[in-house]
Amino acid sequence: MLIALDFSAVLSSWPLLVRGVLWTIGLTLVGTVLGLLLGTACAWARARNLGPRSATLRGVVASYVELVRNTPFIVQLFFLFFGLPALGLKLSPELASVLAMVINLGAYSSEIIRAGIEATPRGQIEAAHSLALTPGQTFRRVVLPPALMKVWPAMVSQIIIVMLGSAVCGQISTPELSYAANLISSNTFRAFEAFILATVVYLALSILTRRLLMWVGARFLVGR
Amino acid sequence: MVDFSLWDILRNLLMAARWTVSLSLIAFIGGGLVGLLLLVLRLSKLRGAQRVVSVYVQVFQGTPLLMQLFLAYFGIALFGIKTSPWTAAALALTLYTSAYLTEIWRGCVASIPKGQWEAAQSLALNFGEQLRHVVLPQALRIAVPPTVGFLVQVIKGTALASVIGFVELTKAGSMISNATYKPFLVYACVALLYFVLCFPVSLVAQSLERKLHGNRR
């Protein structure tokens, strides 16, 4: 038996949905900016001939990347939110969510950027050295821009995966889109409609984000 | 109050990890079969098939797995079928996996030179024979490393099934953490167990990739 779908009750809770969308966008924005910074730093630390030569640092960064890439996001989030208070470090749901997203994207993006760096011809680095640029300057001005340009499509996909992953943050009551859908479903008893609506909004968000980021990449990374 | 030792916690988590492994295998095998079907559909010259498959892929890659799980959980119930977290999780993860695998494999097939198709055609092989005897055997070699790599994503994806009440590793972790008041220890153990499951798979995928690239050079 098919029960007729009724969206009216769900649609009338639109302010909740709007708040959820804004939170999802906000989390993604902050998570992406900080995550890319962390990922770049990690890629620099691990890059041969460029980063700090300390083997310890390289080992720490490598362990961080492998640890994050081989455990689920939801466990990382729960560990930060439920686990850390045992050490006396209590985070708000919102802060824990952002932190988890930054840690997650940091690990993935560092691998993506590293792939771009390894595709950079060695002659470029040698040329920069011969111009007496420091390793830091070489990385920032010579290696990073073309590396980012090469791997930008992969990076965009990863950013979208992180945005979709933020749906899990509702589980620790961060008021993002999936949390709004849960709330509406328990207010209206229209679970299927609420989740369909949220899913459609997520789909629209991911399509728009991909367009926007590809445009940003074409505009600011290529042809500089 | 009963005291839980580290061994009690680990033993219970290991019991729950069986369900993570079973769900991953179901999703991987089911998703592989559906993905293969979609791939053939997409490669065939059927009208509209390409469009349908690419919309399918975009929908599953562009929405959170969590929402897909919720929709499966509440959606099956709408048809008057009694839903268990098991069926919902298996269904959602199978569809999710199939969308990614079909896209991965499409890329592998696309990397086979067009001349191979044309050569097969000139030998008067029909579409099925071209795929079976000429294109798929070559694509398979390229497809193995990314497919194994995706298994890691599937294993991690099963963690979300905890949200609809499927008792696997993550759900067991939160239940044990609630019972023992040791969230730090329990979630660290949960993360460690996932790492133990996933890391070897990642290593295998990496070494396969290296081997493949070595052969090509």
Side-chain angles (χ1 to χ4, degrees):
Chain A
M1 183 186 65
L2 182 64
I3 300 165
L5 296 179
D6 176 14
F7 281 97
S8 57
V10 173
L11 282 172
S12 64
S13 338
W14 63 269
L16 275 174
L17 275 177
V18 171
R19 188 187 65 162
V21 170
L22 291 179
W23 265 99
T24 293
I25 294 175
L27 283 176
T28 308
L29 202 64
V30 178
T32 299
V33 171
L34 297 180
L36 287 187
L37 286 177
L38 179 63
T40 309
C42 290
W44 182 56
R46 283 183 83 181
R48 267 172 259 135
N49 303 319
L50 280 169
R53 287 181 197 281
S54 154
T56 326
L57 180 64
R58 206 170 288 178
V60 169
V61 173
S63 323
Y64 152 70
V65 170
E66 289 306 327
L67 207 57
V68 169
R69 283 176 4 122
N70 287 296
T71 52
F73 178 67
I74 189 172
V75 174
Q76 294 159 14
L77 184 71
F78 283 1
F79 183 75
L80 288 177
F81 187 66
F82 297 117
L84 285 189
L87 298 186
L89 194 65
K90 184 132 183 49
L91 302 172
S92 72
E94 293 82 4
L95 190 59
S97 303
V98 169
L99 201 58
M101 287 169 79
V102 170
I103 288 174
N104 198 276
L105 184 61
Y108 281 96
S109 63
S110 94
E111 283 298 276
I112 295 173
I113 296 172
R114 215 156 68 95
I117 291 174
E118 274 165 20
T120 307
R122 287 196 50 89
Q124 298 274 322
I125 297 167
E126 283 159 11
H129 281 323
S130 71
L131 289 172
L133 295 184
T134 64
Q137 286 171 329
T138 308
F139 182 71
R140 261 201 330 276
R141 298 180 185 277
V142 178
V143 176
L144 188 59
L148 270 182
M149 196 174 92
K150 270 186 206 117
V151 296
W152 191 245
M155 194 62 97
V156 172
S157 296
Q158 193 58 45
I159 291 169
I160 288 170
I161 288 174
V162 166
M163 180 180 80
L164 298 177
S166 77
V168 176
C169 299
Q171 295 302 313
I172 59 168
S173 72
T174 302
E176 46 75 55
L177 184 49
S178 80
Y179 182 79
N182 262 312
L183 206 59
I184 294 171
S185 107
S186 45
N187 285 346
T188 61
F189 301 107
R190 287 280 170 195
F192 194 65
E193 288 89 335
F195 289 118
I196 281 220
L197 197 61
T199 306
V200 169
V201 176
Y202 270 117
L203 185 60
L205 274 180
S206 66
I207 292 172
L208 286 177
T209 309
R210 182 175 296 277
R211 289 250 169 106
L212 180 73
L213 287 176
M214 289 315 269
W215 178 81
V216 166
R219 179 87 176 65
F220 295 102
L221 283 175
V222 182
R224 12 181 305 153
Chain B
M1 196 187 118
V2 191
D3 243 4
F4 292 87
S5 69
L6 178 61
W7 169 239
D8 289 328
I9 292 174
L10 262 180
R11 197 191 52 208
N12 282 303
L13 287 179
L14 277 172
M15 305 271 265
R18 287 181 310 177
W19 298 110
T20 292
V21 173
S22 340
L23 191 57
S24 306
L25 287 178
I26 288 174
F28 199 60
I29 294 168
L33 292 176
V34 179
L36 196 61
L37 207 72
L38 290 171
L39 178 71
V40 173
L41 199 65
R42 171 137 203 189
L43 293 175
S44 71
K45 301 279 183 313
L46 282 181
R47 288 184 70 181
Q50 268 190 17
R51 186 106 198 98
V52 170
V53 175
S54 76
V55 167
Y56 177 90
V57 169
Q58 195 164 37
V59 164
F60 280 93
Q61 292 192 345
T63 59
L65 177 57
L66 188 69
M67 293 290 113
Q68 295 163 21
L69 280 161
F70 276 128
L71 285 178
Y73 190 57
F74 293 108
I76 302 175
L78 275 191
F79 291 94
I81 301 165
K82 202 167 150 0
T83 334
S84 71
W86 237 121
T87 44
L91 178 72
L93 279 162
T94 297
L95 296 181
Y96 168 83
T97 308
S98 73
Y100 276 85
L101 285 181
T102 199
E103 187 68 5
I104 291 173
W105 292 341
R106 190 185 64 82
C108 298
V109 170
S111 72
I112 302 297
K114 232 180 126 79
Q116 296 286 326
W117 286 97
E118 288 163 358
Q121 216 164 11
S122 71
L123 291 172
L125 301 182
N126 64 31
F127 174 72
E129 290 167 339
Q130 289 170 28
L131 265 186
R132 214 169 55 245
H133 297 304
V134 178
V135 176
L136 286 189
Q138 298 182 65
L140 194 67
R141 248 173 58 84
I142 309 171
V144 169
T147 306
V148 174
F150 186 70
L151 179 55
V152 175
Q153 307 296 325
V154 176
I155 297 173
K156 293 192 297 176
T158 61
L160 291 182
S162 63
V163 174
I164 57 169
F166 182 78
V167 184
E168 38 64 77
L169 190 46
T170 307
K171 182 75 181 172
S174 34
M175 285 156 74
I176 295 170
S177 140
N178 288 340
T180 58
Y181 300 107
K182 287 177 185 159
F184 187 83
L185 178 69
V186 172
Y187 284 115
C189 289
V190 171
L192 189 73
L193 285 178
Y194 274 109
F195 186 77
V196 168
L197 284 178
C198 294
F199 191 55
V201 182
S202 298
L203 286 183
V204 169
Q206 268 171 34
S207 83
L208 282 172
E209 198 147 351
R210 223 168 294 134
K211 256 185 221 156
L212 191 84
H213 274 278
N215 281 356
R216 243 199 242 151
R217 258 176 221 151

